Amino acid sequence: MKFLVVLFSLCLVVLISADCPHKRSGLTKWSEWSGRPKAVAADVNIPANSKILLDVSPDFPMNQLKVSGELIFDDTPLSISFERMYAIDGGHIWIGSEDCRVKSQINITLLGQRQPTFDPDGAGTKCIGCFVNSQIDIHGEDRNPTWTQLDGTVLKGATDIVLEDDVDWRVGETIIIATTDFEDFNEDPNYPPSQSEKRVILARPNSKTVTVDPLNYMHWGDFWEGGKHNEKIDIRAEVGLLTRNIVIKGDISGTAGDDHWGGHVMVHEGGELRIEGVELFFVGQKDQLGRYPIHFHVAGQRPLSYVKKNAIHDTFQRCVTMHGTSDVLIEENVAFNSSGHCYFVEDGNEQYNVFNKNLGITARKHTLLKSDSQPAIFWITNPSNHYYFNHAVGGAFGFWYSMPYTPLGSAATLPDKQEWLLRYTPFGDFVGNVAHSTGSGIFIDQMLTNADGSTALASYNPRNWSQALPLLDKPSDLLSLSDYEKQSLGKPSPAVIRDCITFKCSDNGFWGRGDYIMVIRGKSLDNMNGATFPGSNSVVQNSVFVGETDNVGNPQCETCPSWIPLDPLRKRPITWEQSRPILGYRSYDAGGGDILIDSVFYSYHDVVLQSNGNIGKVRKAGAIGALTGPNVIAPINLHFRLEFYDVENRIFYYNSTSDAIMGVTFIDNDGSITGKCGASIIGTGSIVRSEDCTPYPAWNAYVCDNNDQARRSFSFSDRSSRVVYGDKTDRDGLRDLTDLYIYRLYDKATLRVEGDFDDYYSSSDPDPQYAVKFSYGTNLIVNTEYLLIAGNKSESLSSFYVSVSGMPEGEFVRFAIPYPSGTTFKVTYDYNNKNATEVNSKSQLTGNSFFYDSGAGLLWLHIESFYVAWAWRYYIPVVDATAFLNVVAECPGGNCKRTVNPASITGASPVAPTANNCYRETDAGKGIRKYSSKGPSYPIYNEGWVGNWTTDDSCNSTTETAGDGTTSLLCSFSSYSQFGATLPWKHFVDPSPYTHLEFKVKVGDGFGAEKISVFAYNTNWTMVGKPLYVDSPLYSNEGPIDDTAWKTIRVPFEDLGWDKATQIYRIHFSKSTYGPAFIYFDSISLATYSVQLVAHSEDYPPTPKEPTLSKPVDGYEPPVGDSSASVVMISIWAFFFAMVLVVF
């Protein structure tokens, strides 16, 4: 009996060790193989069904190493060099495996010089490639952690660096310490180079300390702590490990170094790459498309591939590229000193890739794409990808969302589908990310317009069309609709930026152009501008803004070419003139329906500046500001429950003489800014000011009490292009020809509004000639009469559009516009172009009507709102009515020249005040509502519970259930899938006795899940059956779900494609949803039922439109341990048990 037990135990050891590819039986050693190279630059082929063990370093560098069978690297020190190595026709290259990581030093050198064309196989030179039906597994030593943060600030000259975590880093290895100062990505010679510093570890005093050569710069290593609410915000420098035991590098001898022609790893369609624990440097091939350090090239859905725990540094082009590839996990990598964009999503048809806990430091200017001149650490062209806990340092942008309208490049010929309308595609998960020392931290704007990397201002308007598509004849009809129709037809799907931090950004911490962009629990510190949202319906909630922290950076005033703060001496944001203020939250351009709520501001001070000993200039600071050009910042923006500590100016309107800023209007809805509930905070323009407004000179503003005259948003645009003559560089000269002048008639208050150029160009005319189309905007007091002069000072427009928005019932505005005698008019209103009523006298004006006073040469327009359109903006009711008129004038002989003296025209005084902007709160936690009977109260954003995985001993236990059938309880772990991440369960399963897969789900918070996805795999990572998308019983597209009870879902095996012989090793569950949500899973079971209980409808489409994630995210561990650790422990115990039996 003892012998059998010993034999069994030893067999178990052998069986487990067989998981190491280099320990498998039937391998032919390279040293004994007849096909090994006998000379330099040979072509070597490993044919199908061959299994070659690379047990020694090859004697010669190779030209090509083609693997159609298996090439397995031994776990022994090896060096190999070649021009290219690739797996093809079912080949498999093994350097370790998931469960057997290689510990030895392995050096791979990629050879070759710049080539003028691609090779026939599409892999190029200096390449490791993976082609259809082939696989590459590279698994270096597991290093923990790959990056961490400082535990305490280190000063210039310091040699000991204390880290947050215990690290396994060794003497002689290389690390990178990130900058925590403002960085200049433009490489301005007046400023020092990047302050991120590479160092070699000289000693290890303890598990959390490394000793290096003296540092050239201070690196901040402390939290920002304190404040009224005891906030603790992590603004510490990152420290990453750049050394790994497997090295892939490009040879830079000959011309390759000067040409920046490095190596690359490339995966084609149908190939699988699993690469972890590898160091790559001198990789990427400058200005050659498709040649990046790690590159998934039109590889399709690759849920079994991943890029983990690698170090990619000193590259010649990019870091990791996802091109036409979806469902890949990119996790815990360290990237440093990239040329151009670093983590790169290419054409826009890449979906559901997971970027988790990656570090990127320093992206340099590059020339492959035009956008590379402003490099981003993370460049994102499809918003459905997921980003968790990544850190981006340096470069023009940390995270740059630059979506083309539809995919470009090789994806431009994709079939027309609404999912490829990328500027409407719902946002993926964006959680816990950090950006610092960049131009802008998190940036949604400057959208891709051409495959050459050209970008232009454009909005992101995420929408869900699931309810609207059935109304169309076919889904592709959606693509033919106008942008306005697309936005109106789709249900807004908020883009949620959650728990993210930005600091030391020379421009903006957060910037989002579009609508329905939400920043929840955001943190902005030491940024030039904390958060700016050009567009509408943005939300900033539960966020913290800190003007200046104790991190003064590295000022180096003795070499600083321009003004920096004097006391304390600190470095200022780069690229801005000294007069530019620092601001916390900014509304910008056409802001309407924006919400700032439950947020706190700290440490915004005006400071005295110095430059080379000269002292005296002042840099202003304000917690809240405005940035606007020709468009209006609407007074329907909402501001609630705001707090200010150590803030000199709660409001600061920069450039107060700007025409648009002069007309700006903010509403202090609950008095938390001014102490006056409902007060209007307006610019310095007299046209928006009444007699009851109080000047606040330090704010460049006036404060007007609640119940003062109501101010509403006014816009004006010409309907057709006009030709004007002048020098386009002489903007003031063109303004004299094109600007809008507004006169308030009862007191002659005046505002000159600069127009926005829609288009201008030079014709072949010998004189400078430009076709221009203008739009204008500001705020105006309602129930008032105005004179408008537009076009130029002597000629009125032949067609134009005028509107006033946000007017509730009973409010009106009148406009007088001069035209020559004999002019006739066509005036329409509403989106259906209904004819406005022409009346015979000014006293008859009412509703949407007009009157032409031929004697005075004045067209009078009357705009009035007769209804209240309550819009539910994040469940807050606001007035969203817009009244407008379209005017077409036919002047005698086509000549609209007019003569008018504004002083001679009189108007009536304003009607009694109408505005009540004071909002009150309902019970705590139930949101906000207007203090009136209109509209219920709803929460803006309902916070969700965040916990950790828990497991118990019930995994794989068998339980008999009463009634219909038997249930085998696989695992009960009360766990959750957050933000669309995958919930994996991993264990051996024999489903043969059963008929159904059963599991429980419930909503923890939010909108629930529209679909729940089920994937199953066997031990070879091959999908079993087919992916199934189950209609969820937990979904609402109207708002958060109140029902949090557990729901049981039973799925028959036939729907999963399983049969009685199926062997399951992994089951993955995930959710698909269009809003913030937490989904909990519990009690995954196999069950037998005689009655089929199916969760999805019978007409469920056979081909899902949305693939789902198949990888876990940091912090969400499966209920069983890491497989490699488990294998090691089982092996140790089996061997120990066997030896004990032998002894006894």
Side-chain angles (χ1 to χ4, degrees), residues 105-155:
Q105 183 68 35
I106 295 180
N107 296 316
I108 300 173
T109 303
L110 304 175
L111 308 173
Q113 308 299 316
R114 179 178 288 274
Q115 300 294 315
T117 58
F118 288 174
D119 78 318
D121 292 318
T125 61
K126 305 181 85 163
C127 177
I128 297 175
C130 185
F131 291 84
V132 64
N133 298 326
S134 301
Q135 301 183 65
I136 296 178
D137 275 275
I138 308 178
H139 304 271
E141 186 180 7
D142 189 15
R143 305 305 302 275
N144 289 298
T146 57
W147 62 275
T148 181
Q149 290 173 270
L150 293 179
D151 187 15
T153 297
V154 290
L155 301 178

Side-chain angles (χ1 to χ4, degrees), residues 715-984:
S715 64
F716 182 97
S717 64
D718 49 345
R719 284 299 196 186
S720 59
S721 295
R722 293 173 281 127
V723 174
V724 298
Y725 292 86
D727 183 355
K728 69 178 181 181
T729 63
D730 178 17
R731 184 67 183 235
D732 287 338
L734 285 181
R735 287 191 62 178
D736 286 338
L737 301 175
T738 57
D739 284 2
L740 174 71
Y741 293 81
I742 307 173
Y743 299 86
R744 191 166 63 190
L745 290 178
Y746 80 90
D747 63 355
K748 299 304 184 290
T750 306
L751 182 65
R752 177 186 182 184
V753 183
E754 181 180 359
D756 179 30
F757 284 87
D758 282 357
D759 184 38
Y760 61 83
Y761 58 90
S762 178
S763 72
S764 58
D765 192 296
D767 296 320
Q769 180 177 341
Y770 306 95
V772 295
K773 191 175 180 182
F774 276 70
S775 60
Y776 316 80
T778 186
N779 290 300
L780 297 175
I781 295 176
V782 297
N783 295 12
T784 303
E785 297 178 345
Y786 299 89
L787 173 68
L788 302 181
I789 297 179
N792 60 47
K793 292 184 177 179
S794 62
E795 185 173 355
S796 292
L797 297 175
S798 60
S799 65
F800 63 88
Y801 159 98
V802 62
S803 73
V804 182
S805 62
M807 288 196 304
E809 183 178 358
E811 292 183 357
F812 71 90
V813 180
R814 284 181 184 170
F815 299 105
I817 305 166
Y819 281 93
S821 178
T823 303
T824 59
F825 303 93
K826 179 177 176 59
V827 182
T828 59
Y829 70 96
D830 206 346
Y831 292 103
N832 296 317
N833 288 318
K834 299 176 183 177
N835 289 323
T837 303
E838 183 174 8
V839 298
N840 297 318
S841 68
K842 180 181 172 184
S843 62
Q844 294 177 335
L845 287 170
T846 185
N848 293 297
S849 59
F850 68 100
F851 163 62
Y852 179 55
D853 185 344
S854 58
L858 291 175
L859 171 67
W860 285 92
L861 302 175
H862 184 95
I863 300 178
E864 183 172 350
S865 178
F866 284 95
Y867 63 96
V868 176
W870 285 100
W872 297 98
R873 192 157 287 129
Y874 298 105
Y875 317 112
I876 296 177
V878 295
V879 176
D880 198 25
T882 298
F884 61 87
L885 296 174
N886 290 296
V887 177
V888 177
E890 294 198 12
C891 301
N895 184 354
C896 290
K897 290 185 179 295
R898 73 296 197 241
T899 301
V900 63
N901 179 11
S904 66
I905 305 173
T906 60
S909 298
V911 180
T914 59
N916 178 8
N917 296 308
C918 183
Y919 281 44
R920 305 295 184 189
E921 299 182 37
T922 63
D923 295 338
K926 293 186 178 179
I928 307 158
R929 72 181 225 169
K930 193 165 185 178
Y931 191 60
S932 73
S933 60
K934 300 180 186 298
S937 171
Y938 286 92
I940 294 177
Y941 184 85
N942 203 12
E943 298 296 340
W945 175 80
V946 179
N948 294 315
W949 288 85
T950 58
T951 62
D952 56 37
D953 295 330
S954 62
C955 291
N956 208 34
S957 64
T958 300
T959 306
E960 297 294 325
T961 58
D964 184 24
T966 301
T967 299
S968 175
L969 183 65
L970 303 181
C971 202
S972 176
F973 42 78
S974 297
S975 302
Y976 66 91
S977 171
Q978 182 184 17
F979 314 116
T982 298
L983 174 71

Side-chain angles (χ1 to χ4, degrees), residues 961-967 995-1001 1012 1014 1028-1033 1046-1056 1058 1069 1082-1098:
T961 58
D964 184 24
T966 301
T967 299
T995 61
H996 286 68
L997 177 69
E998 176 179 298
F999 54 95
K1000 293 181 180 179
V1001 295
I1012 294 176
V1014 184
L1028 182 69
Y1029 291 71
V1030 181
D1031 282 349
S1032 169
W1046 286 103
K1047 311 289 185 183
T1048 298
I1049 294 179
R1050 300 185 182 102
V1051 184
F1053 288 173
E1054 62 190 65
D1055 284 7
L1056 290 163
W1058 296 3
F1069 298 86
D1082 196 5
S1083 301
I1084 301 173
S1085 308
L1086 298 180
T1088 300
Y1089 289 95
S1090 57
V1091 179
Q1092 195 176 70
L1093 301 174
V1094 186
H1096 63 79
S1097 58
E1098 293 301 326

Side-chain angles (χ1 to χ4, degrees), residues 257-274:
D258 293 338
D259 286 344
H260 292 176
W261 192 257
H264 68 109
V265 178
M266 190 174 189
V267 185
H268 285 255
E269 183 177 8
E272 297 286 358
L273 172 67
R274 290 173 286 274

Side-chain angles (χ1 to χ4, degrees), residues 48 236 442 525 569 636 733 790 830 863 982 986 1033:
R236 300 172 298 163
I442 298 168
L525 309 92
L569 186 67
I636 59 173
D830 206 346
I863 300 178
T982 298
K986 182 176 174 182

